[in-house]
Amino acid sequence: MKPLTPINLLHLSLTTLLTFLLLLILTTTTKPLLLSLLYCISLSLLLLRRRPLSVLLVDYSCYKPDFDRKCSTEACKYFISSSSRFSPESQTFMSDILAKSGIGDEVYAPPLVFQTDNTHAKLRSAFQEAEEGMFSAVDSLLDKTDMDTSMINVLIVACSVFAPSPSLSSLVVNKYKLNEDVKTYNLSGMGCSAAAVSVDLAAKILRNAREPKHALIVATENISLNWYFGDNRPMLVANCIFRVGAAAVLLSNDARRWRSKAKMELSLSLRTHRGADDAAHNAAVQMEDARGNIGVSLSKDLVRVAGEGLRVHMRALAPLVLPLSEVLRYACARARSALARDGGRRHVVVPDFMAGFEHACVHTGGKAVIAAIGRTMGLDEYVTEPARMALHRFGNTSSSLVFYQLAYFEAKRRVRAGDRLWMVAFGTGFKACSLVWTALRDSAPDTDNPWNDCVHRYPVKGW
């Protein structure tokens, strides 16, 4: 059953009205008229009763590692040079990437970087990284929501490149002793879109449930086993931009219990996938180099692929979120552009997507990717500020990145009740996922907000 959007509600109202008018024409006495009216009312109530349940964002928590896990640019360069696993040319290349990456000196690295034997990643290092991030975020979330783990009906854990057996979802079940009937899902290979995809999956489950349910989402990534030790340049880029992060999110369809406490309501989720295109499919790939070293290769074509993927995604999203006035304005602008060509070339026209939202959490893939999104959609620096500042403060935390941006909005107290917030994230494959939220109350930073000790320094000038 599809959500009851304004378009669906209008369709329902028109259908009921036309049905009533038709019956009115066919009836000439009072009794049949009353019966037809009763029929239309009953039909409307039946359709409304079948409306999917609301999906509420009860709360979320972002993992903030301890102070001693901070890895400045100089510390990262020292790790690279001291490992003796990179050629001088590769060290210079990574130093150049770090210098123009837009990443600051307070990002966090995995435990592997700070260990004595840090030239070979081991499974225990990956487990340590996963447990620290996931358990810290979940502990914080359960504590501030006063949530009993016995009430969790659905668990979704998303980690793209670390898929051990038993799964990470089983690790969470074991840690928190979840019920035997909990429905678990373990998502891998989804890249940076994994958290948004997890919310989309959880929303479909919750909306189609006929009783109150709670879904716990844990979004993380794992660098330890994918820190690349080789000289393949497309694979070296990942070493420079990905850093440690995780988020835990609690969703519920129990409006009676959570409506007064929840932060947001999910209005819409949309996914598009361009995996049929070879360039899109191969833009970001986990692979081995010629010497058998494993890492994630980010192709030079990634920015172009991201831009094209965003355009395809926006064509599907625009009719669902933009006001009619903006749709008409865009159509007129396209018509004028088609008629007034300059040298045989059409002027690029894009709709004002911020006409449908008050805030946006755009994909924090890297400095070039954020710039490409801004150009493609005509977004100003104020709109892309949370993405740029999240990259500076935490680096690319992969699947959890959109919630670090949401935390930035709350730390800045920018969201007001009724505001619409758009999250969009890209993933390997190449896929895109959008989430549209409606704020249920004014935002304010929680005690565990990861920006609490530094938000006064942001936005950083010159970024």
Side-chain angles (χ1 to χ4, degrees), residues 11-51:
H11 182 267
L12 172 61
S13 302
L14 290 175
T15 301
T16 305
L17 179 60
L18 290 174
T19 303
F20 175 67
L21 291 176
L22 178 60
L23 292 173
L24 180 61
I25 294 172
L26 296 176
T27 58
T28 57
T29 62
T30 304
K31 186 175 180 180
L33 178 61
L34 292 176
L35 290 176
S36 64
L37 179 60
L38 180 61
Y39 168 77
C40 293
I41 293 174
S42 300
L43 177 63
S44 301
L45 291 176
L46 177 62
L47 293 174
L48 287 172
R49 185 176 179 274
R50 294 179 59 196
R51 182 179 61 180

Side-chain angles (χ1 to χ4, degrees), residues 262-378:
K263 293 190 172 183
M264 295 186 174
E265 180 176 354
L266 184 65
S267 303
L268 174 72
S269 60
L270 177 72
R271 295 168 60 182
T272 57
H273 203 306
R274 301 196 67 248
D277 179 78
D278 289 342
H281 178 76
N282 296 314
V285 181
Q286 186 182 25
M287 58 180 288
E288 289 182 341
D289 66 9
R291 297 183 178 180
N293 298 309
I294 297 176
V296 176
S297 175
L298 304 178
S299 75
K300 293 181 179 179
D301 211 24
L302 179 60
V303 175
R304 184 194 66 79
V305 166
E308 179 58 29
L310 180 62
R311 281 188 286 271
V312 171
H313 189 71
M314 290 300 98
R315 283 198 291 269
L317 182 66
L320 303 175
V321 298
L322 292 182
L324 181 60
S325 59
E326 180 58 27
V327 174
L328 293 175
R329 188 203 67 81
Y330 172 63
C332 292
R334 284 290 301 270
R336 288 195 299 268
S337 175
L339 294 173
R341 297 188 179 186
D342 182 10
R345 297 177 59 186
R346 291 187 181 184
H347 296 286
V348 178
V349 179
V350 295
D352 179 11
F353 279 97
M354 295 312 296
F357 316 103
E358 279 72 37
H359 314 283
C361 299
V362 301
H363 182 76
T364 318
K367 193 171 184 177
V369 173
I370 296 173
I373 294 173
R375 288 194 304 270
T376 301
M377 299 185 60

